[in-house]
Structures are given as structure tokens and as C-alpha cells.
Amino acid sequence: MIAYIKPSKCDKSPFCPAKRVCPVNAIYFDETINSYKVDEEKCIGCGKCAKVCPQRAIEMI
Ligand code: SF4
């Protein structure tokens, strides 16, 4: 499994807790979609980001 961030739910906070908790630094802000995004090459599927996202914008798929 990997994490997927729904752009419509992401609140784009500069303090994104999901980004901070990711152990492999897989979450980055993608200007082209104006949302945080998961680098699929880096994600190890730990699920930590999904647990801390206050918007519940992250799904494990
Ligand atoms: S599932 Fe884990 S490794 Fe993947 S983006 Fe979320 S915190 Fe990072």
C-alpha cells in the first residue's frame, strides 16, 4: 500500500503534520495541483501520515 492525498481535501497548511511525520520525506507540495502529494517512489506505506492528517485527506491505497 501507499498513501494518496486527495487534493480536494488537503488544506495546504505550511505546518502539514503528515509531511513532518513521514519517516522517508515522501510528502511534498506540488505547485501544479496546489496540494501536498506523495512521492510514490519513496513511500513505504507505513500509514503514519494518514493517522495525523487533520483533514483526513490521506487514504492508504
Ligand atoms: S505512508 Fe508513511 S512513508 Fe508513505 S507518505 Fe505516509 S508517512 Fe510517508
Side-chain angles (χ1 to χ4, degrees), residues 5 16 18-19 22 25-29 36-39 49 58:
I5 302 175
C16 174
K19 179 172 163 44
C22 179
N25 204 23
I27 299 177
Y28 64 100
F29 194 79
Y36 283 100
K37 195 171 178 182
V38 174
D39 183 335
C49 57
I58 305 177

Side-chain angles (χ1 to χ4, degrees), residues 3 18 21-24 26-27 38 42-50 60:
V21 80
C22 179
V24 294
I27 299 177
V38 174
K42 288 186 179 175
C43 178
I44 55 171
C46 71
K48 289 182 179 176
C49 57
M60 299 305 295

Side-chain angles (χ1 to χ4, degrees), residues 1-14:
M1 289 212 299
I2 60 162
Y4 170 70
I5 302 175
K6 289 181 216 148
S8 60
K9 286 196 174 178
C10 175
D11 69 2
K12 300 135 180 93
S13 166

